[in-house]
């Protein structure tokens, strides 16, 4: 799938993160709830670093040939989640730039497992800012009805999952997308903030 806003080849290869399999893996993966700014900040971050930007929501829509709300209505959320898992797996395997995930991608345990070893940043936001940003904005099927109540419920259930997969949390409340992108850029320069370690083999599974 083509990158959005790809800045072209990076001459010195400095922005390519080689994976264990020799493929190119994302420089950074953004997670967080709807309205955290994953898409907005991701585009800015990619431009600042001269790398491509990819968003799994856009990949899912391209593959399905329809907007996300239509997928929810026509095929249901489980089908959307299956498409989303595939989109995340593909992008983690071959996208060397900035990758933004849909807010619920981390609900799938298999997707969380795939994120191990990647530089994952959790964009945190409070209810007031999130609702200001997305409340009555473009359609997000999971916020339909009462966006404030739905968002609060989603965040309560997901916060532990965002922190589980992320090496770094950046609070975005009251901050501009430019400021948030700059802070993420700093985390990329700090060795101690690199990706969380991959899980070790559970003791019970070790063959003696
Ligand atoms: N830090 C921010 N401050 C103010 N508005 C923001 C910020 N980040 C994003 N937005 C706005 O909020 C809306 C949702 O942002 P988006 O990037 O689509 O969030 P996400 O992808 O996390 O759901 C957009 O209208 C965007 O311009
Ligand atoms: O939180 C969610 O479950 C969803 C978030 C959306 O993406 P954003 O987080 O980019 O809004 C999109 O993937 C879909 O509507 C479901
Ligand atoms: Mg988004």
């Amino acid at each position: 799938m083509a990158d959005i806003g790809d800045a072209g080849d990076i001459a010195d290869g400095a922005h390519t993160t080689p994976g264990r399999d020799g493929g190119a893996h994302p420089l950074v993966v953004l997670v967080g709830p709807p309205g955290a700014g994953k898409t907005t900040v991701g585009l800015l971050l990619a431009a600042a670093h001269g790398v491509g930007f990819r968003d799994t929501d856009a990949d899912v829509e391209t593959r399905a040939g329809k907007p996300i709300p239509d997928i929810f209505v026509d095929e249901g959320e489980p089908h959307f989640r299956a498409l989303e898992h595939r989109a995340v797996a593909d992008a983690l395997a071959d996208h060397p730039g900035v990758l933004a995930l849909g807010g619920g991608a981390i609900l799938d345990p298999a997707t969380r497992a795939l994120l191990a070893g990647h530089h994952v940043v959790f964009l945190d936001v409070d209810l007031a800012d999130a609702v200001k940003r997305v409340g009555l904005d473009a359609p997000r099927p999971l916020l339909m009805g009462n966006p404030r109540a739905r968002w609060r419920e989603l965040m309560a259930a997901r916060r532990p999952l965002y922190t589980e997969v992320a090496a770094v949390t950046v609070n975005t409340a009251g901050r501009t997308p430019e400021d948030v992108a700059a802070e993420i850029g700093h985390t990329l320069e700090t060795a101690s903030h690199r990706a969380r370690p991959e899980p070790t083999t559970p003791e019970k599974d070790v063959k003696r």
Side-chain angles (χ1 to χ4, degrees), residues 32-34 38-39 57 68 72 80-81 84 101-104 140-142 154 158:
K38 302 176 297 294
T39 302
D57 282 343
I68 289 172
F72 271 72
F80 169 76
R81 296 297 175 202
E84 183 174 49
L101 305 192
R140 282 168 168 87
L142 289 179
L154 287 182
R158 294 176 183 179

Side-chain angles (χ1 to χ4, degrees), residues 86-169:
R86 166 68 77 84
V88 174
D90 288 353
L92 289 176
D94 70 10
H95 175 63
V98 175
L99 177 65
L101 305 192
I106 46 71
L107 292 170
D108 182 338
T111 298
R112 295 201 298 279
L114 285 178
L115 290 170
H118 291 280
H119 185 65
V120 181
V121 174
F122 166 30
L123 296 187
D124 201 355
V125 64
D126 58 26
L127 173 68
D129 278 61
V131 169
K132 259 189 264 168
R133 294 178 194 168
V134 302
L136 304 170
D137 178 60
R140 282 168 168 87
L142 289 179
L143 298 181
M144 278 165 69
N146 181 344
R148 290 180 66 86
R150 290 293 297 130
W151 192 94
R152 193 189 284 112
E153 287 164 14
L154 287 182
M155 191 56 158
R158 294 176 183 179
R159 179 174 288 284
L161 304 179
Y162 292 133
T163 55
E164 176 192 320
V165 298
V168 183
T169 297

Side-chain angles (χ1 to χ4, degrees), residues 15-31:
H15 296 298
T16 298
T17 310
R20 290 174 302 281
D21 55 5
H25 289 198
L27 180 68
V28 61
V29 183
L30 302 179
V31 301

